[in-house]
Amino acid sequence: MSRSIALAALLPLVFCSLLPARGESAPYVPGRLLVKFRPGADGAARAAVATELGATTLRRFTLIDAECMKLGAGVSVEQAVERLRGRPGVEYAEPDYELRVEGAPNDEWFPYLWSLDNTGQTGGTPGADIHAVQAWDVFTGDPHLKIGVIDTGIDYTHPDLVANVWTNPGEIPDNGLDDDGNGYVDDVHGYDFANGDGDPFDDHSHGTMVAGIIAGKGDNLIGVPGVCWQAQLVAIKVITYNGYGTIDAAIAGLEYAVTLGIKLTNNSYVAQSYSQALLDAINAARAAGCLFVAAAGNGGSNNDQDPRYPASYNSANIIAVTSSDNVDGVALGANYGPTSVDLAAPGVDIISTFPDSMYRTMSGTSMATAYVTGVCALAMGQHPELTAPEIKGRVLAAVDVEPYLTRKVLTNGRLNAFTATVADVGPETISGIALGRAFPNPFVERTRIAFDLPHPGHATIEVFAANGRRVAVLADRVLGAGPQSVEWDGLDAGRRPCASGVYWARLGFEGRRASRRLVLMR
Ligand code: CA
């Protein structure tokens, strides 16, 4: 705790000292500028800007109609920003800020992944997990869903990842050609925007660990299962071997994701400086249907007061994630935010895939973010009809509300894979049919579950244990229209008393389902 307080106390100083200022070193790339032109700016207006600054175009972003420029000798970033302020045809110009990933792997690793199914094996609180095992009883991931890992790359040869790494069917490796004509040369498993080539192999380790959490191959008797047992991981490298990257690379990476039609990206990197260009790119990705999961950052501070980007941008397709530990606490050193951080997920001593066929543990909001991305992937696979903001709403509505997260995150809760993926959360907006409250709930001997049918028809009401096993059928017949209810006496199909715990009542009607959580307390 003392370390977290010390970090929180130090951060404002660090933050201030990193702000761009004349004559001081600043966290952006020297001699480089991001320029967003107004829609009406023609070629001549753009060329005039380049000429005045002695600049050449390094990269053009079609996603947001902006450019990354290399400034001529003798023109500083500060001078260039100043000279373009208020210029007709230029919407804004900003430095190419630095971003980074944090977290160092540990050498030791734990025998079990407490985060997926916490039985207290690492000294933690049983149940302080994301209920992945229950979700897996029903669904383990869509093998065709592309997930963009915007990070340090991926060791795509790792035995626990190789089956779940995307391979571009139209690209011939290492021939120096853009065989499939998508604008990127030799992008076989993704692209390396940090170094400008088609090989996003991970020379750091962070991205490989994130990838293993999202979709390490499950049920293959080796290593660790990811949240998704199958998926198409696309390696989008924007961070170099030393853990640092740039806004330019991040925008380029997101543009690539949109080009590939990716609907879900994991973004476990943090910048301390606000970039309008990155926000524009995220909003353009939203328009393309892409969900953007982002890490709150590791500093023990409050993002509401001291924002970290991209997590702190206000956008309907961003999910901002902090980290919880295995004894139901906010992780030491994790940033939080009552309005700017959406939910918590496990992020302490997480074992995952490490380059060169190894496994290590790592802690941080990066790891927590990967869990949320994995659960978003499960939810998208089960509910392909939902938009990115709807998936976000579903994952946020599905959290387990925890007292220790009160006023720490927007939802006051921790990720729940089962509810987000399988159960119908919230009122009938998703299912179109009504399963009302159960009363009493929690209950000791019996509870009555209300429901409402729009017209007469065949309905089922079943009760499932938290592990996905069906324990009772309360109705399986034609029922009338309107509000009504059924009772569950806490007995299974063999009339034996069920153990205390969490159960799910599920109404099925004309192919639609709605679920309600029940808590039995003997
Ligand atoms: Ca290509």
Side-chain angles (χ1 to χ4, degrees), residues 481-507:
Q484 50 209 299
S485 66
V486 291
E487 187 178 82
W488 184 39
D489 51 14
L491 303 180
D492 69 12
R495 307 302 295 161
R496 291 175 297 263
C498 291
S500 297
V502 173
Y503 294 83
W504 294 86
R506 187 172 77 187
L507 167 65

Side-chain angles (χ1 to χ4, degrees), residues 373-520:
T373 298
V375 170
C376 287
L378 290 179
M380 290 168 110
Q382 279 288 82
H383 304 277
E385 74 283 4
L386 299 183
T387 65
E390 284 170 341
I391 291 288
K392 174 183 175 179
R394 186 179 171 85
V395 170
L396 265 52
V399 297
D400 288 328
V401 172
E402 300 288 348
Y404 71 91
L405 292 170
T406 302
R407 288 184 295 281
K408 295 290 187 186
V409 294
L410 183 69
T411 58
N412 299 331
R414 184 186 57 229
L415 180 69
N416 184 318
F418 177 78
T419 311
T421 304
V422 180
D424 278 310
V425 294
E428 296 64 53
T429 49
I430 291 170
S431 66
I433 55 172
L435 184 64
R437 291 200 171 281
F439 185 83
N441 190 25
F443 70 102
V444 178
E445 290 189 342
R446 56 193 65 241
T447 185
R448 185 158 281 280
I449 304 149
F451 62 99
D452 194 349
L453 298 181
H455 51 260
H458 185 267
T460 58
I461 297 180
E462 302 157 291
V463 177
F464 293 84
N467 64 6
R469 187 173 53 88
R470 190 174 73 176
V471 297
V473 179
L474 306 180
D476 184 4
R477 60 183 183 275
V478 174
L479 296 171
Q484 50 209 299
S485 66
V486 291
E487 187 178 82
W488 184 39
D489 51 14
L491 303 180
D492 69 12
R495 307 302 295 161
R496 291 175 297 263
C498 291
S500 297
V502 173
Y503 294 83
W504 294 86
R506 187 172 77 187
L507 167 65
F509 185 72
E510 297 180 343
R512 290 169 292 172
R513 292 169 174 175
S515 298
R516 171 73 58 180
R517 184 156 72 159
L518 309 172
V519 179
L520 173 56

Side-chain angles (χ1 to χ4, degrees), residues 11-355:
L11 259 168
L13 295 174
V14 174
F15 182 72
C16 292
S17 73
L18 290 174
L19 284 175
R22 197 175 298 274
E24 291 180 18
S25 63
Y28 54 73
V29 183
R32 234 198 253 175
L33 195 67
L34 298 174
V35 181
K36 168 92 167 75
F37 292 101
R38 293 193 184 281
D42 59 11
R46 293 167 193 240
V49 167
T51 304
E52 178 181 339
L53 301 176
T56 51
T57 298
L58 293 173
R59 202 187 320 257
R60 188 167 280 124
F61 305 109
T62 53
L63 187 66
I64 57 172
D65 192 15
E67 288 184 14
C68 180
M69 291 180 166
K70 182 179 181 359
L71 297 171
V75 182
S76 73
V77 171
E78 294 89 339
Q79 288 165 344
V81 168
E82 198 55 43
R83 278 157 73 170
L84 295 187
R85 185 165 292 150
R87 174 74 55 98
V90 174
E91 196 165 313
Y92 56 80
E94 63 183 29
D96 184 14
Y97 291 114
E98 178 180 89
L99 38 91
R100 58 185 293 198
V101 295
E102 295 164 329
N106 305 323
D107 285 334
E108 56 184 312
W109 55 288
F110 289 83
Y112 302 103
L113 273 172
W114 67 266
S115 49
L116 297 173
D117 185 24
N118 193 345
T119 56
Q121 68 272 58
T122 56
T125 309
D129 56 47
I130 67 166
H131 305 295
V133 173
Q134 293 93 313
W136 292 336
D137 279 338
V138 182
F139 186 62
T140 57
D142 175 357
H144 304 294
L145 183 73
K146 289 201 284 273
I147 303 170
V149 179
I150 303 183
D151 210 289
T152 62
I154 297 176
D155 177 355
Y156 43 75
T157 66
H158 194 289
D160 238 357
L161 293 174
V162 65
N164 284 347
V165 169
W166 173 73
T167 298
N168 185 348
E171 199 70 25
I172 299 164
D174 302 326
N175 67 352
L177 300 173
D178 178 16
D179 301 291
D180 67 343
N182 67 354
Y184 302 88
V185 172
D186 289 337
D187 60 323
V188 175
H189 300 299
Y191 200 84
D192 178 356
F193 294 95
N195 298 296
D197 61 61
D199 185 3
F201 193 84
D202 185 7
D203 51 6
H204 178 281
S205 73
H206 187 274
T208 298
M209 300 195 76
V210 163
I213 293 169
I214 297 170
K217 183 70 181 164
D219 209 20
N220 63 349
L221 302 178
I222 58 170
V224 293
V227 177
C228 298
W229 291 7
Q230 51 268 322
Q232 301 273 314
L233 294 164
V234 182
I236 303 176
K237 180 170 171 66
V238 303
I239 308 281
T240 60
Y241 70 94
N242 62 5
Y244 287 88
T246 62
I247 296 287
D248 164 62
I251 295 172
L254 200 52
E255 187 169 76
Y256 179 67
V258 171
T259 300
L260 293 189
I262 291 172
K263 303 297 186 196
L264 173 62
T265 61
N266 186 92
N267 302 270
S268 290
Y269 58 82
V270 172
Q272 290 191 321
S273 304
Y274 179 94
S275 163
Q276 183 64 44
L278 181 55
L279 175 57
D280 286 352
I282 294 168
N283 284 333
R286 179 183 66 190
C290 187
L291 186 59
F292 189 98
V293 188
N298 308 319
S301 56
N302 182 347
N303 281 8
D304 283 13
Q305 295 160 1
D306 194 2
R308 292 291 181 274
Y309 303 101
S312 291
Y313 291 129
N314 186 13
S315 189
N317 61 331
I318 296 177
I319 302 180
V321 184
T322 190
S323 160
S324 58
D325 62 25
N326 67 337
V327 287
D328 269 346
V330 174
L332 185 70
N335 290 353
Y336 55 94
T339 64
S340 60
V341 179
D342 292 308
L343 78 169
V348 176
D349 294 331
I350 304 300
I351 180 172
S352 188
T353 47
F354 188 86

